[in-house]
Each structure stands twice: as structure tokens, then as C-alpha cells.
Amino acid sequence: MEGLLYIAAIIAAVAFAVLVVFLAMTLKASQRTLNNVANTLESLEKQMQGITSETTELLNKTNKLADDINEKSSKLNGVFDGVKGIGETVQEFNQSLKQFSSTISRTAMHNQDKASQAVTWGTALVDMWKKKRK
């Protein structure tokens, strides 16, 4: 019976040793996996730093571009105001020409009789002068 106890103790010791070996192998595999995860996270952190710096640089350039566009847009507003003023001036000039033309037409119509009399008298005077010269 005592032999049976020794055999049982040896079997238990062998089983415990096998268990410890498999547990050690599992822990080693877990350690390798955790090391890989740590390396991946370090690499990811470096990449994120690069992305952050590039994003900051891009944001700065975008802000400068927006400022430049706003500045040029405000300058263009002055040009458009000037063009608007020129358009208004041309329109006022056209109205002045219309009024002037209308005034001349009215004056010519009112003085048509006088003008025809002046032409008639002028023609008569020229005819008389020509007759005197001959």
C-alpha cells in the first residue's frame, strides 16, 4: 500500500510538473504577445505625433490662406464699388445727353418758324448781293 502512495505521489508530481511546463509556455506566449502589442502602440504613438504635427501645419497654412483670401476679397470690394460708381456716372451722362437732345429738339421745334424766316432772309440778302455785284 505504501508503494501505491509513492506511485500516486509520483503521478501527482509529474502532473504538477506538466502543468507548470504548460503554464510557463502559455505565460511566455502571452509575454511575446504583450511585447508585440507594446511595440505596435509605440509605433502608433510615433505615427500619431507625425500626423498631429502635419495637421497643425496644414491648419496654419489654411488659416493663412483664409486670411489672404479675406484680404484680397476686401480689396476687390473697392474695385466693385469703383465699377459701380463708373456705371452710375455713365448712366447720369446718358440721362444728361437725353435731356440735352430733348432740349435741342424742343428749341428747334419752337424756333422753326424763326429759323425758316432767317434762312429766307439770308437767301434774299445773298441774292441781292449777287445782283449788286454783277
Side-chain angles (χ1 to χ4, degrees):
M1 176 90 155
E2 203 172 297
L4 204 53
L5 273 174
Y6 287 123
I7 292 175
I10 290 175
I11 291 175
V14 170
F16 185 73
V18 169
L19 179 65
V20 167
V21 167
F22 279 111
L23 187 60
M25 289 173 46
T26 303
L27 289 175
K28 279 266 193 203
S30 295
Q31 183 180 9
R32 273 183 271 148
T33 303
L34 288 176
N35 285 338
N36 288 338
V37 168
N39 291 337
T40 302
L41 286 176
E42 286 176 15
S43 173
L44 183 63
E45 184 179 351
K46 289 177 185 176
Q47 289 175 1
M48 287 302 291
Q49 287 174 351
I51 290 172
T52 302
S53 64
E54 288 178 13
T55 303
T56 303
E57 185 178 334
L58 180 63
L59 185 60
N60 289 335
K61 286 181 181 179
T62 303
N63 287 338
K64 287 179 184 176
L65 181 62
D67 291 341
D68 188 41
I69 288 171
N70 285 335
E71 181 181 333
K72 288 179 180 175
S73 175
S74 66
K75 288 179 182 178
L76 279 178
N77 287 340
V79 171
F80 287 126
D81 290 342
V83 169
K84 181 182 176 188
I86 290 171
E88 290 172 355
T89 303
V90 168
Q91 186 177 9
E92 290 172 3
F93 180 70
N94 284 340
Q95 288 176 349
S96 297
L97 284 178
K98 284 180 184 177
Q99 288 176 351
F100 181 69
S101 174
S102 174
T103 303
I104 289 176
S105 295
R106 271 187 305 210
T107 305
M109 289 187 84
H110 288 290
N111 297 327
Q112 188 174 13
D113 292 336
K114 291 179 184 177
S116 81
Q117 285 177 358
V119 169
T120 304
W121 280 102
T123 305
L125 285 175
V126 169
D127 286 342
M128 284 175 58
W129 181 68
K130 283 182 182 178
K131 283 181 185 180
K132 261 190 174 186
R133 265 184 69 187
K134 287 184 181 182

